[in-house]
């Protein structure tokens, strides 16, 4: 079976990337330089990079070039070129980033489903939060010598929402 030259180039680059001979973050030659160095048509060089991108080994950035992806992260989550520091957490993603998180997520979802309140969790919350949750927060604050009633508590969806609600309340 004859393997085309472009496929040989794809396989060679893929092997170099997988075996870390081309490390993550490395900028690969431009399409034109790749075409010139391997005596390919420009369209064929573009096809080489497109296949490597489809394999999840590289990421192309318009105007910047083609870079080797960090293989320790899933594709298309914005961490393609950066390596995460040990013990850091990405709070902007709705999917597991590290292998161990998959099992933690599975365990957490099992616990939530067994808790009996899964139906309420799957829907939008009422504005300001559910009464029983506001009551819990008010009770906690009263233990800290703050005279707070559930009607004065507002549960928000994250820091940005909390800041926006606070700013609107002040203005």
């Amino acid at each position: 079976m004859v393997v085309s030259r472009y496929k040989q180039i794809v396989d060679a680059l893929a092997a170099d990337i997988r075996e870390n001979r081309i490390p993550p973050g490395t900028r690969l030659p431009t399409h034109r330089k790749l075409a010139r160095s391997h005596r390919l048509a420009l369209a064929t060089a573009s096809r080489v990079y497109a296949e490597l991108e489809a394999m999840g080994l590289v990421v192309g950035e318009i105007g910047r070039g083609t870079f080797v992806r960090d293989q320790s992260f899933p594709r298309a989550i914005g961490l393609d070129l950066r390596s995460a520091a040990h013990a850091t957490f990405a709070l902007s993603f709705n999917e597991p980033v590290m292998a161990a998180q998959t099992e933690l997520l599975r365990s957490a979802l099992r616990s939530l489903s067994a808790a009996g309140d899964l139906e309420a969790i799957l829907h939008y919350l009422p504005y300001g939060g559910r009464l029983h949750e506001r009551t819990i927060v008010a009770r906690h604050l009263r233990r800290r010598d703050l005279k707070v009633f559930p009607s004065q508590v507002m549960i928000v969806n994250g820091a940005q929402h909390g800041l926006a609600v606070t700013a609107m309340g002040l203005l």
Side-chain angles (χ1 to χ4, degrees), residues 17 26-27 32 47 50 54-57 79 84 112 128 130 133 148 152:
I17 292 169
T26 300
R27 183 176 184 219
R32 290 186 193 285
R47 188 173 167 196
M55 296 164 74
L57 298 174
L79 294 174
L112 281 172
R130 294 180 287 199
E133 293 167 340
V148 177
Q152 298 171 308

Side-chain angles (χ1 to χ4, degrees), residues 4-10 13 30-32 34-36 38-52:
S4 66
R5 265 191 44 224
Y6 115 87
K7 185 66 173 146
Q8 291 172 356
I9 295 166
V10 169
L13 285 170
T30 65
H31 293 221
R32 290 186 193 285
L34 181 72
R36 197 175 315 121
H38 290 281
R39 304 184 91 166
L40 301 169
L42 181 58
T44 304
S46 295
R47 188 173 167 196
V48 167
Y49 284 159
E51 190 158 329
L52 290 171

Side-chain angles (χ1 to χ4, degrees), residues 72 74 96-106:
S72 64
V97 176
M98 306 298 180
Q101 288 179 320
T102 303
E103 188 53 43
L104 290 171
L105 180 60
R106 184 177 292 117

Side-chain angles (χ1 to χ4, degrees), residues 31-159:
H31 293 221
R32 290 186 193 285
K33 285 182 182 176
L34 181 72
R36 197 175 315 121
S37 67
H38 290 281
R39 304 184 91 166
L40 301 169
L42 181 58
T44 304
S46 295
R47 188 173 167 196
V48 167
Y49 284 159
E51 190 158 329
L52 290 171
E53 191 165 3
M55 296 164 74
L57 298 174
V58 301
V59 60
E61 296 184 20
I62 296 172
R64 289 198 58 223
T66 303
F67 298 86
V68 176
R69 275 187 68 251
D70 186 338
Q71 299 301 304
S72 64
F73 294 105
R75 289 163 62 176
I77 63 170
L79 294 174
D80 292 334
L81 302 177
R82 294 172 267 152
S83 56
H86 181 67
T88 59
F89 297 96
L91 301 177
S92 61
F93 307 116
N94 196 18
E95 59 183 89
V97 176
M98 306 298 180
Q101 288 179 320
T102 303
E103 188 53 43
L104 290 171
L105 180 60
R106 184 177 292 117
S107 174
L109 289 173
R110 277 192 198 113
S111 296
L112 281 172
S113 65
D117 201 17
L118 188 59
E119 186 66 29
I121 293 170
L122 294 176
H123 297 289
Y124 287 107
L125 297 177
Y127 181 76
R130 294 180 287 199
L131 179 60
H132 72 278
E133 293 167 340
R134 291 182 306 170
T135 303
I136 292 168
V137 172
R139 190 177 319 128
H140 173 75
L141 293 173
R142 278 196 299 272
R143 285 190 204 132
R144 301 205 179 277
D145 295 326
L146 295 170
K147 193 171 184 174
V148 177
F149 300 99
S151 61
Q152 298 171 308
V153 173
M154 181 169 282
I155 297 177
V156 296
N157 297 313

